């Protein structure tokens, strides 16, 4: 035994004791870190499922109530038809003229009451769906952390929701005999007070038409602020290319808006609210109904009732011998119809690419394996739900703790410190919308939520809009596949009362920027416009009207290599009122090609814009960056294209589309990725 213990192999292993323990500790650490990562993955996946399930349930709940509301409105249309049947000449002997007028008046009164009931449904039915959507989202685990209380404030105070002698575009207090404002506003407020888990889609009263359109863009004011800061730091400012391009139309008088210093002292803007129209129904989960024909698909006005009403009466009674003539209908007869937003023709007339990027893509198998059934070829209402949850993370926080040495593993309270850090560090799953400080936040192009759509059909597989009068033909609500584009007229109710929008509402009533008696709630935008209006202290740094371009060309066309060193002393400044603004300075272009340069550091190239031969003057030591002098001896400036390059399009991009700019083309925005 002694000899065995002294065996060389055993004596070597005696010095290796403890290595298995060390390997085990390392493996335990790896497993611990892996478990943290896997825990994060589990948390994120669980949160994704919760968000998606909650949003889909909420969207379906809203669409179900849209379906019920439309069917109820359709039933009331049938009751109107029955009232007409009871007054038909086939049913009653010809009365005396006076009796006929009395009966017409009585019938009109009954029809008006039915129209009021339909309007009530159009206002309050979708709000019941809004409440049901919130409950469905909460029941599926989405927390109530949204806030759209300012929408109620807008309903009560904004000029677009008030009718007055000075606001012809304001909303009527009474619509079809229904005083909508109190019940509608109170119900919205009640739903909001119970907590908002998902944001709905809306067809808002809208934002004004703004001229110049840049005034409705946050980027426009941001550019002014950045340039103002740059001018204060350096006179002239150093590099401000991107920001000057945003202000191009306000700076270059020859190609943009013809505003002079004198014109800037007057009312040079136009904020127009005249086109804004309240939909005269719920803005949330809007149904798209109207007490008249939509004016599309051949139904231009009530003159077409002689073709459509008999179909509806025949459907209601099984008879085809009543009211065959338009003249037999009582005066003022109104049906609740689909509005223009239901009809593809409405969008086809407004968007050139509607068929290619929306209609064909949506209905004709562009997104699905099979075409959508022909009876569902209509736009119509949709119910959208968008929410989020905050998922806590572990591995990231712990690793940061160790890296930053904020947590000492030897401390007794280490676990408590890690947990406290974790509470403050979460990852949002779902909507990434922030505060609504920018007008673009209310657009429909951003789609992280779910959409459900109302489905229905007439006989012979016809879409509901084959007859413009609403009938109770809607049978179900279905989720819109994620990959499909969002419906038209689509926006999300997310406060919808941005500071910029408030400012534009204030600006609409002003005649000058410099003599105001009631300053806006947020004066920052006013200060920005005042800065813009000040030519010598701001705009001239971009375009100096006193600059002599011809003299500059003669002086610098043979000395462009030295221009970078001369910018600070030659460009426009308060001390040099004759210098060029940024747009008037030589344009520094670049090329991926390395030319063979001689001692002159320049080459001759084709001038594709002006014709002839232009000269590229390269910066010393560079084979990429150059200035251009045309054959006529003109130095190409920042306001001009490089004529030695070929372009696919000659159009100059114009910044800022204003409110609703995203709606000018078919929306082919694809939804979020799914698990």
């Amino acid at each position: 035994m002694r000899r065995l213990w002294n065996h060389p192999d055993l004596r070597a292993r005696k010095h290796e004791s403890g290595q298995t323990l060390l390997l085990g500790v390392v493996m335990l650490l790896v497993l611990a870190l892996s478990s943290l990562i896997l825990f994060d993955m589990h948390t994120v996946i669980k949160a994704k499922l919760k968000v998606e399930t909650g949003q889909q349930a909420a969207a379906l709940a809203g669409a179900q109530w849209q379906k019920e509301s439309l069917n109820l409105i359709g039933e009331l249309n049938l009751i109107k038809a029955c009232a007409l049947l009871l007054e038909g000449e086939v049913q009653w002997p010809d009365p005396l003229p006076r009796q006929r007028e009395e009966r017409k008046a009585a019938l009109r009164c009954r029809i008006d009451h039915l129209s009021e009931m339909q309007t009530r449904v159009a206002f309050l039915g979708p709000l019941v769906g809004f409440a049901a959507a919130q409950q469905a989202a909460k029941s599926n685990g989405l927390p109530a952390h949204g806030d759209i209380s300012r929408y109620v404030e807008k309903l009560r105070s904004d000029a677009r929701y008030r009718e007055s002698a000075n606001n012809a575009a304001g909303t009527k207090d009474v619509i079809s005999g229904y005083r909508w404002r109190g019940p509608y506003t109170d119900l919205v407020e009640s739903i909001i007070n119970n907590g908002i888990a998902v944001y709905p889609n809306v067809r808002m009263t809208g934002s004004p038409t703004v001229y110049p359109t840049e005034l409705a863009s946050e980027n426009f004011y941001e550019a002014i602020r950045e340039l103002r800061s740059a001018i204060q730091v350096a006179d002239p400012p150093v590099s401000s290319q991107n920001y000057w391009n945003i202000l191009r139309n306000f700076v270059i008088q020859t190609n943009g808006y013809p505003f002079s210093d004198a014109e800037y002292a007057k009312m040079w803007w136009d904020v127009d609210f005249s086109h804004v129209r309240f939909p005269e129904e719920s803005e949330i989960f809007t149904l798209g109904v109207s007490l008249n024909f939509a004016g599309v698909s051949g139904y231009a006005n009530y003159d077409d009732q002689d073709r459509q009403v008999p179909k509806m009466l025949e459907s209601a009674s099984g008879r085809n011998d009543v009211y065959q003539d338009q003249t037999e209908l009582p005066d003022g007869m109104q049906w609740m119809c689909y509005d223009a937003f239901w009809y593809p023709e409405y969008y086809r007339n407004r968007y050139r690419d509607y068929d290619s990027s929306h209609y064909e893509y949506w209905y004709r198998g562009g997104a699905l394996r099979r075409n959508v059934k022909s009876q569902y070829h209509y736009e119509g209402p949709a119910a959208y739900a968008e929410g989020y949850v905050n998922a806590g993370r572990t591995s990231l926080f712990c690793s940061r703790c160790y890296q930053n040495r904020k947590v000492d593993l030897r401390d007794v309270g280490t676990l408590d410190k890690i947990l406290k850090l974790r509470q403050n560090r979460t990852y949002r799953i779902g909507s990434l919308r922030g505060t609504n400080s920018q007008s673009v936040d209310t657009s429909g192009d951003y789609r992280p939520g779910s959409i459900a759509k109302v489905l229905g059909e007439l006989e012979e597989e016809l879409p509901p809009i084959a007859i413009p009068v609403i009938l109770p033909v809607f049978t179900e609500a279905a989720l819109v596949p994620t990959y499909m584009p969002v419906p038209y007229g689509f926006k999300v109710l997310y406060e919808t009362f941005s500071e910029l929008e408030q400012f534009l509402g204030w600006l609409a009533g002003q005649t000058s920027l410099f003599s105001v008696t009631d300053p806006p709630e947020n004066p920052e935008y006013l200060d920005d416009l005042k800065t813009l209006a000040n030519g010598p202290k701001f705009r001239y740094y971009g375009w100096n009207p006193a600059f002599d371009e011809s003299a500059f060309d003669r002086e610098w066309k043979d000395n462009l290599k030295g221009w970078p060193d001369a910018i600070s002393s030659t460009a426009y400044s308060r001390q040099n009122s004759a210098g060029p603004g940024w747009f008037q300075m030589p344009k520094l272009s670049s090329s991926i090609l390395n030319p063979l340069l001689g001692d002159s550091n320049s080459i001759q190239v084709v001038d594709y814009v002006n014709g002839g031969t232009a000269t590229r003057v390269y910066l010393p030591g560079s084979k990429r960056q150059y200035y251009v002098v045309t054959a006529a001896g003109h130095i190409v400036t920042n306001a001009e294209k490089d004529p030695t390059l070929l372009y696919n399009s000659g159009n100059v991009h114009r910044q800022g589309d204003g409110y609703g700019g995203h709606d000018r083309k078919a929306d082919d925005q694809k939804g979020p990725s799914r698990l």
Side-chain angles (χ1 to χ4, degrees):
M1 181 66 68
R2 185 177 184 86
R3 292 179 180 177
L4 182 62
W5 178 252
N6 291 328
H7 193 278
D9 292 341
L10 292 179
R11 287 199 303 270
R13 292 178 183 179
K14 181 173 64 174
H15 299 289
E16 297 176 2
S17 61
Q19 291 190 11
T20 302
L21 178 62
L22 178 62
L23 180 61
V25 171
V26 172
M27 292 179 65
L28 285 175
L29 288 175
V30 172
L31 289 174
L33 292 175
S34 300
S35 65
L36 292 177
I37 297 174
L38 290 175
F39 181 82
D40 282 349
M41 291 178 61
H42 168 76
T43 303
V44 170
I45 292 174
K46 182 180 178 181
K48 282 180 174 287
L49 291 172
K50 182 184 295 185
V51 169
E52 187 164 343
T53 303
Q55 290 179 160
Q56 290 179 351
L60 281 172
Q64 286 288 348
W65 275 98
Q66 287 180 319
K67 174 179 72 76
E68 298 298 335
S69 301
L70 287 168
N71 282 337
L72 182 52
I73 289 173
E75 297 285 358
L76 291 171
N77 270 337
L78 291 180
I79 295 176
K80 288 183 179 181
C82 292
L84 282 177
L85 285 171
L86 294 175
E87 292 294 328
E89 291 183 351
V90 176
Q91 303 293 332
W92 302 93
D94 288 338
L96 296 174
R98 181 177 60 81
Q99 294 174 330
R100 179 176 296 178
E101 292 302 319
E102 290 175 352
R103 286 170 55 180
K104 280 186 176 182
L107 175 62
R108 188 179 302 114
C109 182
R110 293 195 294 272
I111 296 300
D112 288 345
H113 280 302
L114 291 171
S115 296
E116 180 184 347
M117 293 175 63
Q118 289 175 315
T119 304
R120 286 175 180 264
V121 173
F123 269 100
L124 302 181
L127 290 189
V128 178
F130 180 38
Q134 303 306 320
Q135 188 59 44
K138 296 172 188 176
S139 298
N140 282 276
L142 290 188
H145 44 41
D147 181 17
I148 53 176
S149 57
R150 299 187 75 175
Y151 175 61
V152 177
E153 176 188 342
K154 189 172 185 177
L155 286 172
R156 288 176 171 160
S157 62
D158 194 88
R160 282 162 290 184
Y161 292 86
R162 291 290 177 183
E163 183 182 24
S164 64
N166 298 326
N167 183 20
T171 305
K172 298 177 181 178
D173 291 326
V174 180
I175 298 175
S176 301
Y178 176 52
R179 293 188 176 276
W180 65 274
R181 193 183 309 277
Y184 179 75
T185 306
D186 292 343
L187 184 52
V188 171
E189 186 174 33
S190 177
I191 296 171
I192 292 174
N193 290 339
N194 285 324
I196 297 298
V198 288
Y199 299 103
N201 62 299
V202 290
R203 188 186 297 174
M204 294 299 296
T205 299
S207 300
T209 297
V210 182
Y211 173 83
T213 56
E214 288 87 343
L215 293 178
S217 170
E218 279 285 344
N219 292 335
F220 171 75
Y221 299 92
E222 181 64 27
I224 295 176
R225 293 164 199 159
E226 291 294 334
L227 286 169
R228 177 172 53 197
S229 301
I231 291 172
Q232 292 173 350
V233 171
D235 178 21
V238 185
S239 177
S240 307
Q241 175 179 352
N242 293 332
Y243 297 113
W244 279 125
N245 282 330
I246 293 176
L247 300 181
R248 177 190 181 93
N249 293 327
F250 285 85
V251 173
I252 303 180
Q253 298 185 31
T254 56
N255 297 326
Y257 302 120
F259 298 147
S260 63
D261 288 343
E263 288 171 317
Y264 270 109
K266 303 175 184 177
M267 184 177 178
W268 49 271
W269 61 89
D270 181 16
V271 184
D272 181 15
F273 287 90
S274 63
H275 80 292
V276 176
R277 291 292 182 270
F278 185 69
E280 298 192 347
E281 57 175 313
S282 173
E283 290 187 311
I284 300 174
F285 291 164
T286 311
L287 299 177
V289 298
S290 177
L291 277 174
N292 53 45
F293 287 163
V296 293
S297 295
Y299 310 121
N301 50 46
Y302 284 107
D303 295 338
D304 289 320
Q305 287 189 112
D306 60 339
R307 290 190 295 138
Q308 300 303 327
V309 173
K311 293 181 182 179
M312 186 176 64
L313 296 180
E314 181 180 351
S315 173
S317 64
R319 300 185 53 170
N320 59 7
D321 56 352
V322 293
Y323 287 113
Q324 293 295 327
D325 193 328
Q326 163 72 19
T327 59
E328 297 178 4
L329 290 173
D331 296 336
M333 183 67 201
Q334 288 185 320
W335 307 97
M336 189 66 86
C337 303
Y338 305 105
D339 69 9
F341 290 92
W342 283 75
Y343 296 91
E345 287 84 352
Y346 176 84
Y347 303 98
R348 189 171 285 118
N349 294 334
R350 285 161 176 77
Y351 308 103
R352 295 180 180 178
D353 56 352
Y354 173 79
D355 281 310
S356 61
S357 65
H358 189 87
Y359 189 81
E360 298 292 336
Y361 180 80
W362 189 327
Y363 297 118
R364 305 291 188 185
L368 304 177
R369 292 183 178 179
R370 299 177 182 176
N371 295 343
V372 175
K373 294 180 179 179
S374 59
Q375 56 265 44
Y376 300 146
H377 284 200
Y378 56 87
E379 294 294 334
Y384 174 82
E386 174 188 314
Y388 67 89
V389 296
N390 289 321
R393 294 180 289 183
T394 301
S395 59
L396 176 62
F397 310 143
C398 293
S399 63
R400 285 182 178 176
C401 295
Y402 305 147
Q403 289 175 3
N404 299 331
R405 298 184 179 179
K406 294 180 179 179
V407 177
D408 190 341
L409 296 177
R410 295 169 296 181
D411 288 350
V412 178
T414 293
L415 182 60
D416 292 337
K417 292 181 181 180
I418 293 177
L419 292 177
K420 288 180 181 179
L421 283 173
R422 185 187 170 200
Q423 291 173 359
N424 296 328
R425 293 184 180 271
T426 57
Y427 182 77
R428 177 177 290 191
I429 306 296
S431 171
L432 298 179
R433 295 178 189 270
T435 58
N436 188 31
S437 61
Q438 298 186 10
S439 60
V440 74
D441 285 346
T442 63
S443 74
D445 291 348
Y446 174 62
R447 179 191 167 187
S450 298
I451 303 177
K453 191 172 177 62
V454 175
L455 300 179
E457 59 182 293
L458 297 170
E459 295 179 357
E460 300 177 356
E461 297 185 348
L462 292 174
I465 56 176
I467 296 178
V469 178
I470 298 174
L471 295 176
V473 297
F474 297 96
T475 56
E476 60 182 311
L479 287 170
V480 175
T482 301
Y483 198 70
M484 282 187 167
V486 298
Y488 273 80
F490 182 91
K491 292 187 178 180
V492 180
L493 179 59
Y494 194 82
E495 291 197 357
T496 66
F497 205 55
S498 69
E499 293 179 347
L500 176 54
E501 190 175 2
Q502 294 180 62
F503 171 74
L504 292 175
W506 172 87
L507 186 65
Q510 305 301 313
T511 58
S512 171
L513 297 174
F514 304 98
S515 58
V516 298
T517 56
D518 55 335
E521 184 174 329
N522 185 349
E524 186 176 18
Y525 296 110
L526 176 59
D527 294 339
D528 294 336
L529 294 186
K530 286 182 176 180
T531 299
L532 176 71
N534 194 319
K537 291 187 178 180
F538 185 81
R539 290 196 329 278
Y540 291 179
Y541 288 94
W543 185 276
N544 179 14
F547 172 66
D548 188 341
E549 182 180 89
S550 299
F552 184 84
D553 287 341
R554 290 192 299 269
E555 179 181 357
W556 284 97
K557 65 180 181 179
D558 298 323
N559 304 300
L560 280 176
K561 290 184 292 184
W563 170 249
D565 296 330
I567 291 178
S568 59
S569 60
T570 307
Y572 173 84
S573 65
R574 298 181 191 181
Q575 291 72 32
N576 182 21
S577 59
W582 185 84
F583 283 108
Q584 297 160 313
M585 296 181 190
K587 182 184 187 70
L588 185 60
S589 301
S590 62
S591 173
I592 61 174
L593 301 177
N594 292 325
L596 296 175
L597 300 175
D599 296 337
S600 62
N601 217 47
S602 63
I603 60 172
Q604 303 295 310
V605 292
V606 177
D607 189 328
Y608 297 104
V609 176
N610 307 297
T613 302
T615 303
R616 286 185 179 180
V617 180
Y618 285 81
L619 292 181
S622 173
K623 291 188 176 183
R624 297 290 179 88
Q625 294 182 307
Y626 59 88
Y627 299 109
V628 176
V629 181
T630 66
H634 169 62
I635 302 173
V636 176
T637 67
N638 287 321
E640 301 166 333
K641 294 188 302 182
D642 181 354
T644 65
L645 297 177
L646 288 174
Y647 293 86
N648 293 327
S649 173
N651 296 327
V652 177
H653 178 62
R654 184 169 176 174
Q655 299 286 337
D657 288 332
Y659 289 118
H662 58 279
D663 288 333
R664 294 182 181 177
K665 64 179 180 62
D667 183 2
D668 57 357
Q669 176 77 12
K670 298 175 179 60
S673 58
R674 296 308 192 207
L675 297 177

